[in-house]
Amino acid sequence: MAGLLHTDLKQLITAEEAYAYRIIPSSYTQESIRFLSDTSSQEALVQELSIIYNKNIHIELTTPDTLTELLAKNYRKSSQSETLDYNLNFLEKLLITAKNYGSSDIHIEPYEKYSRVRFRIDGHLIEQFKVNQSQYPQIVNQVKIKAGLDISQKRLSQDGRIAINAEGNEFDIRVSCLPTLHGEKIVMRILKRDTSDINLEHLGFTKKELQVYKEGIKNPNGIILISGPTGSGKTTTLYGTLKLLNAKNGHSI
C-alpha cells in the first residue's frame, strides 16, 4: 500500500476517526470497507466500526510504526481543543455553548487515551472540548442520573430524557447511552422547549411548498411524512406545524 491514500479512500473517514481508532482505509466496495490497524481488540473494533459506517468491516493488522507513519502522511490532527473540566454545572455550560453554535447534538465520546465532546453543526460533527480521562466517568454518571438511567448498567444501551434550565433557556434533551470499546458514549439531542419563535414561514419552504403543506395539514385524515438526516429540521417542522394548528384549532395532541 502506498504512503499517500487516493482521495476516495482518504475521504471515507475523518482525521479524528483515523487517530481515535488508529485505522487507515485500504480498500472499499459498496458493501464493505477494509482498514489497516494495529489494534489487538479486533472483534470490538469491527463491531463498533460496523455500526458507525453501516458496512461490513475487515481489519488487517499492521505494525504500530507503519500505522503511525500512514496517519501522519494522510491525516492532519485538528487544532487543540479547550479542556472541559467536570463540575456540577458542566452540563449547563455544554448546552449554552451548543446553543450559541447552533448545534443539534452533543456527542461525549471515550477513546483509549483521551475523551472528547463533539457538536453536530450543519450536519457535521466538530470537536469542541477535550475531557480529562479521570473525569470522564463522573461526567457520564451525572448525565445518566439526570436522564434517569441506571448508572450501574454499563453494557447495554439506555435511553432517557432531561428537562433543564440553562441561563434562562428551557431545554428538552433526548439522551442515549451506548457501550463502546473504551467506555460509555453519550449522545444528547437538544430540543428547545420554547417554540414560540418557530414559524413555518421561516423554515426554508418555497411559497408553493408552504401552500401545499398548509393545505395538507388542514385535512381531517391522512398522513404527512417528514423525513431527513439528523439536524435537518424534522422536529422543528413538527413544532411549527403544531403551533399553527393550535393557533387555529385551540388544541392539538
Side-chain angles (χ1 to χ4, degrees):
M1 180 178 180
L4 294 176
L5 298 179
H6 190 276
T7 302
D8 289 347
L9 273 177
K10 185 176 179 179
Q11 292 180 345
L12 288 174
I13 63 174
T14 65
E16 290 85 355
E17 290 165 342
Y19 280 97
Y21 291 104
R22 289 192 62 80
I23 53 175
I24 289 286
S26 59
S27 64
Y28 72 101
T29 66
Q30 190 172 358
E31 295 80 24
S32 66
I33 306 177
R34 186 175 297 274
F35 291 102
L36 292 177
S37 179
D38 61 355
T39 181
S40 58
S41 305
Q42 286 194 47
E43 184 175 349
L45 181 60
V46 166
Q47 183 178 10
E48 186 164 348
L49 294 179
S50 297
I51 295 172
I52 293 173
Y53 300 110
N54 196 28
K55 292 181 182 291
N56 295 321
I57 301 297
H58 305 283
I59 300 294
E60 293 179 18
L61 278 178
T62 188
T63 65
D65 289 344
T66 299
L67 191 71
T68 299
E69 181 180 354
L70 287 169
L71 286 170
K73 286 182 177 179
N74 292 283
Y75 294 99
R76 180 177 298 178
K77 286 188 175 181
S78 58
S79 57
Q80 187 69 26
S81 301
E82 179 185 350
T83 298
L84 176 67
D85 291 322
Y86 171 79
N87 57 58
L88 294 178
N89 298 317
F90 89 93
L91 186 55
E92 285 82 351
K93 176 182 179 180
L94 271 184
L95 289 173
I96 293 302
T97 305
K99 173 182 176 292
N100 292 338
Y101 277 103
S103 172
S104 61
D105 303 82
I106 299 174
H107 292 240
I108 307 176
E109 306 165 324
Y111 296 96
E112 183 177 4
K113 296 182 179 179
Y114 73 98
S115 300
R116 66 178 178 179
V117 176
R118 293 194 293 172
F119 292 167
R120 187 180 296 279
I121 302 171
D122 294 331
H124 300 284
L125 283 171
I126 300 173
E127 183 176 302
Q128 295 296 329
F129 298 103
K130 296 286 189 186
V131 178
N132 190 309
Q133 285 290 71
S134 63
Q135 295 182 344
Y136 189 81
Q138 295 171 287
I139 289 176
V140 170
N141 283 343
Q142 186 178 141
V143 173
K144 291 175 73 173
I145 289 170
K146 287 182 179 292
L149 305 181
D150 183 359
I151 63 172
S152 66
Q153 179 55 262
K154 302 181 184 299
R155 296 186 178 183
L156 295 176
S157 300
Q158 299 185 69
D159 295 302
R161 183 178 290 269
I162 299 174
I164 193 171
N165 183 300
E167 297 184 7
N169 296 276
E170 298 288 339
F171 293 95
D172 278 330
I173 308 169
R174 293 204 301 257
V175 179
S176 295
C177 182
L178 310 168
T180 71
L181 183 61
H182 299 296
E184 294 178 282
K185 172 180 177 178
I186 297 289
V187 178
M188 295 186 287
R189 182 71 194 276
I190 305 170
L191 304 171
K192 280 195 65 176
R193 192 182 300 174
D194 180 12
T195 60
S196 60
D197 59 345
I198 296 178
N199 194 314
L200 289 177
E201 280 74 10
H202 300 155
L203 299 185
F205 286 103
T206 65
K207 289 184 178 180
K208 183 177 181 180
E209 289 170 343
L210 186 59
Q211 180 183 357
V212 171
Y213 184 73
K214 285 184 174 180
E215 289 175 356
I217 63 177
K218 291 178 183 177
N219 293 329
N221 49 51
I223 184 172
I224 293 177
L225 179 64
I226 299 177
S227 63
T230 300
S232 61
K234 300 182 295 294
T235 302
T236 302
T237 301
L238 289 172
Y239 275 141
T241 303
L242 290 175
K243 176 186 173 184
L244 180 62
L245 291 175
N246 280 330
K248 290 183 176 181
N249 303 327
H251 182 67
S252 295
I253 299 177

